[in-house]
Amino acid sequence: MAAPASAAAAAGLAGMSTDNAKGLVLAVSSSAFIGASFIVKKMGLRRAADSGVRAVIVGEIANFAAYAFAPAILVTPLGALSIIISAALAHAILQEKLHTFGILGCVLCVVGSITIVLHAPQERNIDSVREVWDLATEPGFLCYAAIVVAAALVLIYFVVPQHGQTNIMVYIGVCSLLGSLTVMSVKALGIALKLTFSGVNQLFYPQTWAFALIVATCVSTQINYLNKALDTFNTAVVSPIYYVMFTSLTILASVIMFKDWDRQNPTQIVTELCGFVTILSGTFLLHKTKDMTDSTGPSLPTSRSKSASQNRFSIEVVPLKYRDSVDEETLPLSLPKADNRYLMEDFPVRYKDLNIA
């Protein structure tokens, strides 16, 4: 069984296109820079904070470039790697111990990422930004874009004023919806710049500047509402929900616009979805257990022997099934004698005199 699995993995890596490989390297590099920036900023030093900002900028540039080479279905889910890198560096540098389930979450994210990398679709060959514009103006994606914009406007003008401060899904919904359009426009702009740097100038096409305008509009709105979500709700809750919604909508938008799954068989599609669900599970575990630590101290005993107590009275809770006799393993709880009288009258507990043989 191990040999066929290894052969399949090797075949998957060998069959990866040059553009996909470049996109993979850039996406992983982006996650590394962004994950490291969280640790640098958390160290609290002024010079370190400046370095953290620079690391974020470098990471975002690498992420931007990754979309120019690889499909969004490959690049976007790999954003979870920044969480793993951040957790690993925090464990090594800041001495923030990972809970056992946190380690399991890291393993799940890695396994899911490898699964997606091995089965990701090949990047389609595009020779002009006008080809991307033609894909973006097809009826299927126009319907998706119209639904996204309409839903975002409804949330911004009608739902946010009433429920923005109480429902976490409102702010995150705006960010995720517009984020999917941002990624599609970033990918189009990245392709235009890649072709321009290779000698085929795309800057004189109006479509290039139209995509740039969409990126600027969506990103500014997205950042605004993401900051509101982070200011209003717990980051540990915002991050996994935003990752799930943003990544899901981005993959959906990419499938509609670039038709990523048209070049794949059902087995590859199902495998990619399984990898994505695995990453989601790992991300959830990491965020859910990031403030937990493995307990190494002795556990609190739940019972004591009769001779351990030096008090006159002890309380024994009556079990669901009635017992005629009291065993020796009871949990004594000392109370003043006056209080015992009221407890005997009002509560279904049994008393025994510890001084009586």
Side-chain angles (χ1 to χ4, degrees):
M1 294 298 292
S6 301
L13 289 175
M16 181 179 293
S17 67
T18 303
D19 281 348
N20 271 27
K22 291 178 181 177
L24 173 61
V25 172
L26 288 168
V28 173
S29 301
S30 169
S31 297
F33 280 110
I34 294 175
S37 71
F38 294 153
I39 303 304
V40 172
K41 289 189 291 184
K42 198 169 184 179
M43 292 171 64
L45 301 176
R46 187 166 188 173
R47 183 179 299 176
D50 294 337
S51 300
V53 173
R54 289 195 294 270
V56 170
I57 294 174
V58 174
E60 293 299 340
I61 292 175
N63 193 52
F64 176 89
Y67 283 111
F69 293 97
I73 197 171
L74 169 63
V75 176
T76 307
L78 294 182
L81 293 179
S82 64
I83 304 173
I84 300 176
I85 294 171
S86 177
L89 291 178
H91 178 82
I93 298 175
L94 302 180
Q95 305 302 316
E96 296 182 0
K97 301 302 180 184
L98 268 176
H99 189 270
T100 303
F101 288 113
I103 297 175
L104 177 60
C106 291
V107 173
L108 288 174
C109 287
V110 171
V111 171
S113 298
I114 293 175
T115 302
I116 290 179
V117 168
L118 293 178
H119 298 86
Q122 301 296 328
E123 175 73 344
R124 65 188 301 156
N125 295 321
I126 296 178
D127 299 323
S128 171
V129 71
R130 290 180 296 181
E131 294 183 32
V132 185
W133 183 263
D134 291 339
L135 293 172
T137 53
E138 288 186 357
F141 188 76
L142 284 179
C143 290
Y144 173 81
I147 293 173
V148 165
V149 172
L153 291 176
V154 169
L155 288 174
I156 292 172
Y157 290 104
F158 297 100
V159 183
V160 166
Q162 297 181 1
H163 305 288
Q165 297 293 317
T166 57
N167 192 327
I168 191 174
M169 300 302 294
V170 176
Y171 289 145
I172 295 180
V174 175
C175 297
S176 302
L177 288 168
L178 295 180
S180 65
L181 298 182
T182 300
V183 170
M184 297 302 101
S185 301
V186 163
K187 183 171 180 62
L189 191 58
I191 292 173
L193 293 176
K194 180 183 73 171
L195 292 172
T196 299
F197 292 145
S198 64
V200 184
N201 191 357
Q202 304 291 306
L203 299 181
F204 59 83
Y205 289 119
Q207 291 89 341
T208 300
W209 300 105
F211 282 124
L213 179 61
I214 295 173
V215 169
T217 303
C218 291
V219 166
S220 59
T221 307
Q222 187 179 350
I223 292 176
N224 178 38
Y225 284 96
L226 180 58
N227 287 333
K228 289 183 178 181
L230 294 173
D231 290 340
T232 307
F233 303 99
N234 191 333
T235 304
V237 179
V238 172
S239 297
I241 295 177
Y242 175 60
Y243 174 80
V244 171
M245 292 187 63
F246 169 73
T247 306
S248 300
L249 289 172
T250 298
I251 291 176
L252 176 61
S254 181
V255 168
I256 295 174
M257 179 172 170
F258 291 96
K259 301 176 177 58
D260 295 325
W261 285 347
D262 288 357
R263 304 182 298 278
Q264 292 190 290
N265 58 50
T267 301
Q268 291 174 311
I269 295 173
V270 171
T271 305
E272 288 171 12
L273 292 176
C274 290
F276 178 50
V277 172
T278 304
I279 293 177
L280 296 184
S281 302
T283 304
F284 174 80
L285 273 178
L286 270 173
H287 281 280
K288 194 71 175 177
T289 62
K290 71 174 187 177
D291 294 326
M292 296 173 60
T293 56
D294 289 318
S295 177
T296 57
S299 59
L300 183 66
T302 57
S303 64
R304 294 183 195 168
S305 64
K306 177 180 177 180
S307 59
S309 176
Q310 301 298 325
N311 301 293
R312 180 174 177 81
F313 291 103
S314 67
I315 299 177
E316 181 185 18
V317 179
V318 177
L320 294 178
K321 184 178 180 181
Y322 179 78
R323 294 184 304 175
D324 292 330
S325 62
V326 179
D327 59 10
E328 293 295 318
E329 292 295 321
T330 61
L331 180 63
L333 179 62
S334 302
L335 289 174
K337 186 173 182 178
D339 292 340
N340 287 341
R341 184 180 71 254
Y342 295 110
L343 288 172
M344 292 173 65
E345 295 174 356
D346 298 330
F347 295 92
V349 293
R350 289 187 300 183
Y351 292 79
K352 63 179 181 178
D353 192 341
L354 296 179
N355 294 326
I356 300 176

